[in-house]
Amino acid sequence: MQIVTATQTGKPAVRSGLSAHALADATLYGLTAAAGVLTIGLVVAIAVTLWRDSAGLHRTLSQVWQFLRGTEWDPVAEHFGALPFLYGSLLTSALALVLAAPAGVGAAIFLAEVVPGRLSQLLTTLTELLAAVPSVIYGLIGLLVLVPWMRQTAQPALSRWLGFLPLFAGPPYGVGFLTAGILLAVMILPFQISASRDALMAVPRTLREAALALGATPWETIARVVLPEARPGILAGTLLALGRALGETMAVTMVIGNAPTLSLSLFSPGYTIPAAIANEFTEATGPLHLQALEALGLVLLVMALITHLLGQWLPRRLRRVAR
Amino acid sequence: MSSSRLAVHGRRLFSGAMLALTGLCAFTAVTLLMGILGYLLVHGIAALNWAFLTRLPVPVGETGGGIANAVVGSARLVVLAVGLAAPPALLAAVYLSEWRDTRLASVLRAATSMLNSVPSIVVGLFVYGTIVVRQRHFSTFAGGVALAILLLPMTLQAAAAALEALPGSLREAAFALGASRLQTLSGILLPAAGPALLSAVLVAAARIAGETAPLLFTAFNNSYWSPGWNQPTASLPVTIYTYAISPYDDWHRQAWAAAAILLLAVVATSLITRGLLHARWRSHERP
Amino acid sequence: MKTAWMKAALGVAAVLLSGITAGSTLMLNGAGSTLAYPLYSKWFADYGRSHPGIQVNYASVGSGAGIRQLLARTVDFGASDAPMSDEGLARAGFPILHFPTALGAVVPFYNLPGVQAELRFTPEALAGIYLGKITWWDDPVIARANPGVRLPHQPIVVVHRSDGSGTTYCWTDYLSKVSPEWRQRIGRGTSVNWPVGLGAKGSEGVTGLVRQTPYAIGYVELLYALQNRLGYGSVQNAAGQFIRATLTAVTAAAAAVPVPADFRVSITQPGPRARTAYPISTYTWILVPRHIEDAQRRQAIVDLLRWCLTEGQKEAAALDYAPLPRAVAAAELKQLELLR
């Protein structure tokens, strides 16, 4: 009876006559629980520190609103508006998702449904290695390879064929929103592929076999039976990828042009929150400048947490609805 | 052919076309990776030689410098981060797997995944404000702490998953034989999950080895060796960044070479951990 | 498995223990100006070679960062091409001394394929380009000053600093003096609200970006343009002369402006009487706290500064930085005695 109790309750069981064991287990409990509390404490400490260090910018709700919708970032006049950075972060991440999500799901379908086991594992390993490449190396390749190509080849071509659209207006700098979005797309692709492949492979084989037995083509099976089942997992992967894109710093700052602009054109240089912090933090001397950067950090943290929580909650919701 | 046979044909053709499209997606992903690795290796290997790895940087405008201090700096930062974060991460993972139904466990799970989502630059801000400013200098220690904060939740999640994946029969058999939790853990569970735990640490270490943003405000940079733990230090990612945005061709070549080294280290670690996990899978999961 | 763990543990121990041997060399940490970085990196390497036991580690992170790290006391000295303002000094909370170390020139440099001639820029042209009002290379304002040069009909890609920069301070200081619109709309500072342009980190980043981008224009210390073989223009000074940045022109600018006792001065756009002066020149300063507790560090800093003000001046010219006027250097040696 005592054995069963030990595995079922949350407390260390006291075993009759073996107090040394009890002491050891209590110590174990203490140490591990302390480690857990440390982890929780870290999250709280980070949030609290950012909140406290940006106090000058959120004394009142209207001040917060002014900060979020302000369009001018002026360290000389000590006037700070976060909108260009929010815009840049959201635009580049959205662009990255638009490029990476379909391609990622497509690749995952291929790896999960079309290719036989051993080859699938090998190819998956290869795509997951993409996730291991550090951000600064993506930035290096972006700056020295992608940017010149964009400036000399891709952007002039887009200008010629689609230049009438405001999306592709303006001279080809090479750096800008589009380049950053493309680079981000490559960086988040492995996350989308990995999560989608896991979701697809978790769908029971019987569903596929039933569909095929009813005369569906392989694609129809995938599109109408497997994908809907895997949708929660795929969505979780997309949100994970979004979270990564929002927090990306180095690769983005090397190819985005570092200019806080609110332009519709994808060729325009821009700025994101992490890039701004990286560029300005070590030198902000004005009293409000530093707090403004910490406030930007807080905004970024909130966006990352919201994306994360959505990534946990939304798939669960979808699964419940599907049932 | 009847119209229904035609329709079936059409559907089959469409199916084939769509699957080919997915193949194109996969092909793109793999080609991208091969392209990145290949480009890096081609450009990097050309500049790699023993002198490059063992020399210190030289003044701006001169050629012939090296990245010795950056390589050593990165190694020390990663080892410090692992030393600081791996023990609490493993301990907390033990808590999650042993006392999984308590309130602390569910709060911990939530906190871990939240900590995992904190962008690395925000961690840099935090460590700057708490350690660098208070200590009045940039330091390897501060850089190590920043990397440790990034390492902790990654290792925690992977280690907890590894421990929770162990069959319950192992625990029950141990308890049935009168073992305490500690004995069960040290004698049976940890050895069984050993390779998986090690790979959890290695994978996280490989990830943080490439982090740049948090080091910008903590470890800063150094053109010399960094003695002790309280001086700023050079590191591979910061060196790559600084050299990449510069106008000097010599620095660009050094950036490629440094990137090749970093990438090789990271990829090698990934492959090693994969090997570890497969070995474990093969030896433990046979029914 | 056990031996593998043992080996790993030994490896880890070795790396960790490497931290204990702190060594007997004293390491001074400085940070700041990218404008002076080529000079300082040569200076400090030479100083380290001739003075065993001292290593001076300098991080080229921009004047703004240099000042900030000095204020936070995370570095021993800061380097800046922008003198600290009265408010900045008041806010510092401790007295800071300014030591000019050399003179530099900020030049408008460009990447114009097909144009070999050296361009001439009027103040109106520079202000107009950076205000975003002049957007084509063949704009009449630019063309007027360059008769006989075939300027391409291409949009100008403006490049500026994305980080806090003394070079920016010098540039915006000059623009504020020559353009009332600039002074009103933007003002002077190490970080400003640029109306147009791409941002790059550090003088290195600006040079790299202009070098990579055809039809781009940027502003940077003379040496960066020279080292990377990029064309740079001459600028019209207050006397109406188009002056190319040379050591003599920069020295003339410094000579035209008297230096106050605390060495904080701006020498951009000296008056019309300085006919040969280059109008976008600047001193570059090393900033140190007046009171340094650690006696060993204090002595090391005093020795370093003394070397920079005497021996170092001989090397400056070789790197295209103008040496300090002799009177200024002598006055600074006196200021060294204030460090205690």
Side-chain angles (χ1 to χ4, degrees), chain A residues 35-62:
Chain A
V37 170
L38 170 70
T39 311
I40 299 172
L42 266 176
V43 184
V44 174
I46 293 177
V48 164
T49 308
L50 283 181
W51 180 261
R52 184 197 63 195
D53 289 343
S54 61
L57 278 132
H58 53 70
R59 275 193 243 278
T60 65
L61 209 56
S62 76

Side-chain angles (χ1 to χ4, degrees), chain A residues 72-76 143 148 151 171 173 175 257-259 269 271 279-287 290, chain C residues 61 64-65 67-69 71 91 155 157 162-164 186 188-189 191-193 197-199 201 212-214:
Chain A
E72 295 296 306
W73 186 267
D74 193 342
V76 172
L143 183 58
R151 188 181 54 241
Y173 295 113
V175 295
N258 299 321
Y271 229 153
N279 276 323
E280 298 191 11
F281 187 73
T282 47
E283 67 210 23
T285 41
L290 195 57
Chain C
V61 286
I67 295 179
R68 154 82 174 285
Q69 299 314 321
L71 292 178
R91 240 182 306 160
V157 180
S162 64
D163 53 334
I186 321 281
R188 58 169 63 82
S191 255
V192 298
N193 187 12
L198 308 175
K201 193 164 186 6
Q212 267 207 57
T213 312

Side-chain angles (χ1 to χ4, degrees), chain B residues 209-236:
Chain B
E211 286 290 342
T212 322
L215 295 179
L216 293 174
F217 318 138
T218 51
F220 212 44
N221 206 349
N222 199 329
S223 358
Y224 302 102
W225 299 110
S226 174
W229 300 100
N230 277 324
Q231 291 291 334
T233 180
S235 55
L236 276 176

Side-chain angles (χ1 to χ4, degrees), chain C residues 19-284:
Chain C
I20 291 188
T21 52
S24 57
T25 37
L26 177 65
M27 179 167 274
L28 289 177
N29 288 306
S33 163
T34 60
L35 179 147
Y37 177 51
L39 180 63
Y40 290 166
S41 90
K42 185 93 193 353
W43 267 1
F44 299 153
D46 288 345
Y47 190 78
R49 270 194 286 268
S50 55
H51 293 74
I54 292 260
Q55 272 182 346
V56 186
N57 173 34
Y58 180 77
S60 162
V61 286
S63 305
I67 295 179
R68 154 82 174 285
Q69 299 314 321
L70 178 70
L71 292 178
R73 309 294 298 251
T74 49
V75 290
D76 295 302
F77 64 90
S80 168
D81 331 304
M84 287 184 72
S85 64
D86 294 329
E87 301 86 52
L89 283 172
R91 240 182 306 160
F94 58 93
I96 294 177
L97 297 175
H98 285 66
F99 286 91
T101 51
L103 287 158
V106 179
V107 299
F109 74 118
Y110 44 82
N111 176 351
L112 276 183
V115 174
Q116 305 290 23
E118 166 210 311
L119 292 182
R120 291 153 37 131
F121 292 102
T122 58
E124 294 77 41
L126 290 177
I129 292 175
Y130 271 82
L131 278 170
K133 301 169 77 175
I134 298 180
T135 50
W136 295 89
W137 274 106
D138 56 352
D139 189 287
V141 175
I142 307 178
R144 255 201 310 262
N146 295 282
V149 179
R150 267 199 67 228
L151 291 164
H153 183 68
Q154 291 284 344
I156 305 179
V157 180
V158 178
V159 178
H160 56 74
R161 292 283 290 271
S162 64
D163 53 334
S165 154
T167 317
T168 298
Y169 183 85
C170 178
W171 186 253
T172 53
D173 182 44
Y174 168 75
L175 287 178
S176 297
K177 287 185 185 170
V178 301
S179 162
E181 186 180 351
W182 182 276
R183 184 174 56 242
Q184 211 183 27
R185 262 182 72 185
I186 321 281
R188 58 169 63 82
T190 55
S191 255
V192 298
N193 187 12
W194 300 96
V196 288
L198 308 175
K201 193 164 186 6
S203 302
E204 304 91 338
V206 169
T207 314
L209 193 53
V210 170
R211 189 160 168 255
Q212 267 207 57
T213 312
Y215 309 112
I217 187 173
Y219 60 87
V220 83
E221 210 284 319
L222 173 64
L223 185 62
Y224 285 90
L226 286 174
Q227 267 181 347
N228 292 280
R229 282 184 276 281
L230 289 165
Y232 60 99
S234 54
V235 181
Q236 191 179 38
N237 66 7
Q241 304 294 313
F242 285 97
I243 307 287
R244 200 154 156 78
T246 59
L247 295 185
T248 26
V250 170
T251 312
V257 182
V259 175
D262 64 357
F263 299 103
R264 296 184 299 143
V265 66
S266 147
I267 58 175
T268 53
Q269 192 73 342
R273 247 162 332 158
R275 308 205 74 238
T276 57
Y278 181 70
I280 323 183
S281 312
T282 179
Y283 280 105
T284 184

